[in-house]
Amino acid sequence: QKEVEQDPGPLSVPEGAIVSLNCTYSNSAFQYFMWYRQYSRKGPELLMYTYSSGNKEDGRFTAQVDKSSKYISLFIRDSQPSDSATYLCARGGYQKVTFGTGTKLQVIP
Amino acid sequence: SQTIHQWPATLVQPVGSPLSLECTVEGTSNPNLYWYRQAAGRGLQLLFYSVGIGQISSEVPQNLSASRPQDRQFILSSKKLLLSDSGFYLCAWSGVMMNTEAFFGQGTRLTVV
C-alpha cells in the first residue's frame, strides 16, 4: 500500500466552482501534510501545509485533515482558470517527504 | 534564503548515450535530497533520495544511478540511456527536522531519441 494515494483525475470544472481535491494516507502516525501546485513544465511549488488535524485557510484555499479517516483535502473556492494545474498532496516525515501522484485540474472559463 | 539549482532545463540525447544531471542547493546544510521523474501524463515517481554524503537510497530499480559527492550536490546519471528514460526530472531538498516541506528545482525535460 502506498503511503499517500491520490486520484490522478483529470478534474474539469467551470470557473467559479468549488473544487475538492483529496488524498488518503496509510499511517495514522503521520501528522504533517502539504499541498503543492505544479504548472505545466515547472517544478511543484508549496501551496499550503497543515499539522495534525483540522482546517487551515489561506485566501481561496482551505486544507483539511481528517485523522479518523486518514483523509486530507484541499478546497478551492471561486476557482479561476489560473488555478489550472496539477495538485500534489504530500506527507512530511523524518528522512523522506512522500508525495501522491497528483491530480490534474482544469478550470474552464 | 535557500535556493535550489537544477540544470540543464532541456536535454535531447540519443539512445545509448550517457546522462548526467546536476542539482545544487544553497543556503542550508545537510539537506535531504531527492530525484523524481514524471513521465508524460504520469505522476511523480521518487527515484532516489539521500540523507547525507554518499548515502543513497534507490526507490525503483532502473537504468539510473545517483551520487552525492558533496553535502549540497546531487547528481543523476546513466551509462546508457533508453527511450523509456524520457521524462521530466525534478530535484528537491528538504530539511532534516521531523516535519518539513520539500522544495523543488525547476526540472529538466529529457527526451531520448
Side-chain angles (χ1 to χ4, degrees), chain B residues 50-113:
Chain B
S50 171
V51 300
I53 296 174
Q55 300 178 64
I56 310 293
S57 296
S58 174
E59 292 289 305
V60 181
Q62 59 210 320
N63 186 40
L64 301 168
S65 62
S67 62
R68 184 170 177 173
Q70 299 181 45
D71 180 45
R72 290 169 289 177
Q73 183 184 28
F74 206 24
I75 298 172
L76 182 70
S77 303
S78 174
K79 292 182 179 178
K80 288 185 178 182
L81 284 168
L82 307 172
L83 287 174
S84 58
D85 292 323
S86 294
F88 190 49
Y89 288 83
L90 289 156
C91 180
W93 75 272
S94 68
V96 296
M97 302 298 288
M98 180 66 180
N99 295 311
T100 181
E101 304 87 31
F103 300 93
F104 287 83
Q106 285 304 298
T108 296
R109 185 157 301 279
L110 171 66
T111 304
V112 182
V113 295

Side-chain angles (χ1 to χ4, degrees), chain A residues 40-85:
Chain A
S40 180
R41 298 179 176 266
K42 299 290 187 182
E45 297 176 308
L46 179 67
L47 192 59
M48 295 183 69
Y49 62 87
T50 57
Y51 184 74
S52 190
S53 62
N55 293 357
K56 183 174 182 178
E57 191 172 317
D58 183 2
R60 296 184 295 110
F61 297 88
T62 300
Q64 185 177 78
V65 178
D66 183 342
K67 288 182 71 73
S68 62
S69 59
K70 290 187 279 188
Y71 216 72
I72 51 179
S73 302
L74 178 70
F75 300 98
I76 308 174
R77 292 184 300 280
D78 187 25
S79 56
Q80 302 295 308
S82 59
D83 295 328
S84 298

Side-chain angles (χ1 to χ4, degrees), chain A residues 9-47:
Chain A
L11 180 62
S12 185
V13 301
E15 182 176 354
I18 297 174
V19 176
S20 173
L21 302 167
N22 304 295
C23 292
T24 58
Y25 60 95
S26 60
N27 190 333
S28 58
F30 298 160
Q31 295 190 65
Y32 195 72
F33 302 95
M34 296 156 277
W35 283 96
Y36 287 76
R37 179 175 60 196
Q38 184 182 20
Y39 291 115
S40 180
R41 298 179 176 266
K42 299 290 187 182
E45 297 176 308
L46 179 67
L47 192 59

Side-chain angles (χ1 to χ4, degrees), chain B residues 3-65:
Chain B
T3 56
I4 179 168
H5 303 279
Q6 183 182 345
W7 66 93
T10 59
L11 193 59
V12 180
Q13 291 283 99
V15 169
S17 64
L19 173 73
S20 180
L21 301 180
E22 188 164 345
C23 173
T24 60
V25 180
E26 296 178 355
T28 187
S29 297
N30 195 31
N32 297 328
L33 296 172
Y34 311 79
W35 278 111
Y36 291 89
R37 177 172 63 197
Q38 280 179 316
R42 304 285 295 275
L44 197 63
Q45 180 186 37
L46 178 62
L47 302 176
F48 302 95
Y49 76 96
S50 171
V51 300
I53 296 174
Q55 300 178 64
I56 310 293
S57 296
S58 174
E59 292 289 305
V60 181
Q62 59 210 320
N63 186 40
L64 301 168
S65 62

